[in-house]
Every structure is written in C-alpha cells, then in structure tokens.
Amino acid sequence: MENHNGVFMGVDLRCQVNNQAHRTEEMDQDRLIVRRGQPFSLTLQCSTPPPPGHRLALVLHLGKEMVVKVLDVRGGRGQWWFRQQGAEQSEMLLTVYSPANAPIGQYQLVVLMTSLDGHILDQTPPQSFHLLFNPWCKGDAVHVPDEEQLQEYILNESGVLYQGSWDHISALPWNYGQFEDGIVDICFEILDNSPAALKNPEMDTENRADPVYVSRTITAMVNSNDDRGVVSGRWDGEYKDGVAPTRWTGSVPILRRWSEAGAQRVRYGQCWVFSGVACTVLRCLGIPTRSVTNYSSAHDTDGNLAVDFVYDEQLESVATGRKDMIWNYHCWVESWMDREDLGKGYDGWQALDPTPQERSDGVYCCGPCPVRAVREGNLGVKYDAAFVFSEVNADLVYWLVGPDGQRSQASLSSHTVGRNISTKSVYGDYREDITSHYKYPEGSIQEREVYEKAGRRVSHMDGEPGQLELSIKHAQAIHGTDFDVIVEVQNVGGHDALAKLTVMSNAVTYNSLHRGECERRTTSVTVPAQKAHKEVLRLCYDHYGACVSEHHLIRVTALLQASGHSDLILQEVNIPLSMPQLHVKVVGEAVVSRKLTAYIIFTNPLPVTLKGGVFTVEGAGLTSVQEIPAPGNVGPGQEVSVKLSFKPSRPGLRKLLVDFDSDRLKDVKGVATLIVRRK
C-alpha cells in the first residue's frame, strides 16, 4: 500500500467508519463494504504536499471488463463522482458518491494524480471494496421506507421457517447468518458461477445493477439442477451420501461447504432449506427478503389449475406419467423491489421459489413474480405468475377408477389449496398471516372475478349431493404413542343407508410421497336415517414407527361407496405427529470473547432405543457448527445431557440453535436466546 517514490504513501479506506454508516459493520470491520447511493470517504496519505496545479482522478474496475471513471464534479443519475473535502500536508480526505443504480460487486479503486495537461504524476495501488444494494436509499429499486422492516428483512440474522400443516403449524428457528465471516464473498461467488456470468461476464456484470436479474439468478443458483448451484434436492429418504435436510439449522454451513468444495453441490436440501439459503444470500446482497410458507401447496404439473389424484377401489394410486401433488407445506421467499420492467402497480413483494419444481425459460427457477399479479389473476406477468397462482388456488380433485376402467369423481375441493400463508412477523418470533396478499376472501365477488380472468372455472361436484356425508377427526397425535382416528359417516337423508367404508393410513412425506402403509380396514356399514356411524381406527406405533418419514406425517384416506348408487365420497387428512423439544440452557455472562457453557437435555419419547444420536449446534455471532455425539444409546424414556463451550464473537440478540438426529428419531430441535454485551 505504501509508495515512497511519489506523493501517495497509502490509502485509508476508513472501513470502521464507513461500514458503520452503511450498516455493514457486522460483516467486516477490516474491509470496505458499502451500499450504493450513499457516500463513503477515504483518506489519501501523502509523503509530500501535492504539487501546485495537480488534479485527482478516481478509476473503478468491476469484473474483467468494466472500467468506470469517477467524475470530480457532481454527475447525473447513474454516474459516480467524488469531491475533495480538504487537504493537509500529510493527507487528503475524499468523499465518493455512488449512483443508486450502480451494479453491485467487488470493485477495485485507483486514485490518480495528474498534471493539468493529463500526465499521471502518481497513483495508488488498487484498493478493493464491495458494493451492495441499498434499501435505505430512496433512489434504489429495493428501497423500503419502514425502518422496522429493514431491521427484520435485511439485518436480522435469525428467523423462523414455518412447517407442519395448515391446522397444526410448527415453527422452525433458522440461522440465516448473512453477516457471518466470509458469507458476502460466497454470495458473489454464487453470482460468478451462474451460467450467464460464465458465458458472458461483461453483460452479467452490467445486469447486476438490477435486483430482478440478481434475484432470479440467485433463485436458479440456490438449487444445483442446471448449474454449479449450491444445494442438491432429495426427497426419497436416502441421504447417506450427504446430510439429511432435516439436520440443517441454518444456511452458513451449507454456503461454506459449497465454497470450500470449489462450487460443488451440497447434499441435501428440501424446500425450507432452499428458502433459508436464498433468504441469506438475498439479505446479504442488500435485497429485503423474507421466507414464506404456503400450506396445502399445489404442484400442478400440467397447468390446468387442478391437482388430480386418481385411485382404484383399493385406494392405490393409478396415476400415470408426472403426478400432480399437494405439498403439506411449501416454502419460498419474497423479496421487495420495484418492477421497472413491468407496467405500473407491480412494485413491492415478489415471490421467488428456489426449490426445483418446474423449468422457467429452460431453467429450474421461479420468479420474481409480483404477489399482486397472483392476487389479481394476471397470469401473463413475468415471471411464472401462472405457476405461483396454481400453488395457492388450484382445485383438488379425487377420482376413482372402477374395474371397468371408468373414472368417477369422488371428491372436489376449491378451498383446500393455499391456506394460512405465513411469514415471521417484523415485531417478534410469531407468525404473520399474509394469505390476503395472494388471494381474495373465498366466496367473494373479487375471487370469482379473478378466477374468470385466470381462466379457472368456479368448480362444482358432479351431480346432486347424496344423503351420506363423510368426515375424519383425530385428537393431537404424539410421536411414539398410539392414537385414535375417528371416521364418521353421517346420514342426512330420510331412510337408512347401506355403504362400504374403506379406511387406510400411510406414512408420507410433507410433499405427498408414500413411505409405507400403516393400517387398512374395509367394512360394510348401515347408517340409520338422521344418525351417524363412527368407525374408530387405532394407529399403533408398532405399525407406523417403522415406516414414518423424517417429516413425521400420517395420511388417513377414507372412501365411502353407497350400495345401489354410484355415489362416491373420498376424504383425506394429514396428521402431523407432535415432536419433543430439546431443552437448552446457557450458563455464564454473555460477553463478547468470554467463554459460555451450554447444556442440552433430551428425553427419548419413543418406546424403542435410539442409536447413533448426534447433536448439531450453531448460532450467528455465537459459534460455528459443532457436532456432539450422544453418550451412547438412548433407551425408551431415558434422559441424556451433553454440554459444549463457545465464545460469542459479536454483540446483540443471539440465538443458539440445536438439532438432534438418530436412527429412529430425527428433526428434534431446541433454541436458546441470549443477549451478548460488548467487552
């Protein structure tokens, strides 16, 4: 940095002062990381006073091709400029102004001293700095005027991802860790490894001024389907050559593992992992982002705005080709930005889905799609509005194929898909329902108008309603215990009714993949007029324990066939099994660089012995990932305790996240919240 032969001795980028002003001091205090549209300062250290009549010039390099000359007078929109605020014998203070639409990236800055006739008298060695999006700047396309939202959607390193089912919502703490050491470099490394950057780096560099382009690129790069992306998705339960998706508690170990392996995919993730990683990267780059969960989320493979399930009379699936699916829940992200590429009215929250489901323009990505376009049924809007619309609005139709191959409609629901769409509140660790952002109230005039615009008919069941009604009820089911499911047949008619009732329970994944049958029963029932028949199905751990998925979900399907009629009724419910929680206690005074001890206590709720137990611990600003093996096998009802030590690295509100996995029980979580003080 020093140069004793010329005027310049060195450059002080004033990293601590600038980073604090640009709200990046959590990322780094030794490197300059600033946000566009906001000035930053630097000090030129001189060995001798500058010669009379000198001029200063600043030149920036971005990528391999882009060179930007910084004007020494205020420029127009889109231009860099600087001013000299004062000069002493030994140093000069410069203030640099970046435009609010400058490309983000890692820049190299050189200061030149020239004579009046343009000859270079001296120059500094290149100085490196990162430029990010700036949601605090009114001129930036990602500007958000609400400071509380910025505290959450940019600065909060801890979050909550919502899982479970629409009527049994569970919260998963997630460590975004966007300010952890080296993460900003990995985020730009992801952009650099995109197919567009590798094919045409100059154009890619210019396009990084646009949050629409950057967010769409990140959505494609978080999954590894087409490119050198970060996470490989897998849903079949076979994870021995990687990490089970349920074991991750945050994005940081995933991103570091990808980078350290030379941009090699990390095995494995599922939708909440893709969502969590995308949220980390986008927040780090300066785009306000939040994770969103849609319950009873449709994956409509043929674009007909209906999810069709086809069964035979034994309730076995007989669908051919690619199957439509209902995911118990599905996570994506929303990012806030202007949509200058679209007509008026589409600024604001944009849905982005990094989980590889369908191709968009030939690539496994989805979005950014204006949430308002989904609500209004404007399906031609870029990008992927029709797919997102179907995720929250598709009809759910059950068909039964008889022995003669004839297909009959057994059930139709227009109100099952797209329930309780959820995100973490700005004001704390509780759920905010944003369903109304995506759809009008069911049954409203606006809903019907949207359906017509989107080309979806308001659906009705074929034929008249029969005299029998079918429902499935259950109490809260606790994993490891036996529990009852009650199937009720109600006769609302004026005469007795005879019918055949088939009830089946299956262990399934959260995205409807079958892992094994638990119980099946077929009975003939006679239901008196205006009475009800109740069939009790006891689900025993001995039956479901061996095949239950890592998502701890049982699906009960009931088919009612009235004798002498073609009437068919099919109902289906998903029953989440309640999981235990880890108890996490932190002992000691939480001060930066002072040792703390955490105690983790787990009690085995299952009637079987657990083997190969491992506790995984991490926390932004607290500790990188640590793995602690359980002390031997854990018998039924047995309590085990492990401890670990760590030293907090950064002050503030921090969360220590813990996961426990074993051979027969996975995805047990715990969290401890602590406030870390400066020394």
Side-chain angles (χ1 to χ4, degrees), residues 546-562:
C547 59
V548 69
S549 76
E550 66 270 27
H551 306 122
H552 319 114
L553 195 63
I554 303 295
R555 175 170 292 169
V556 176
T557 307
L559 173 66
L560 186 68
Q561 299 167 281

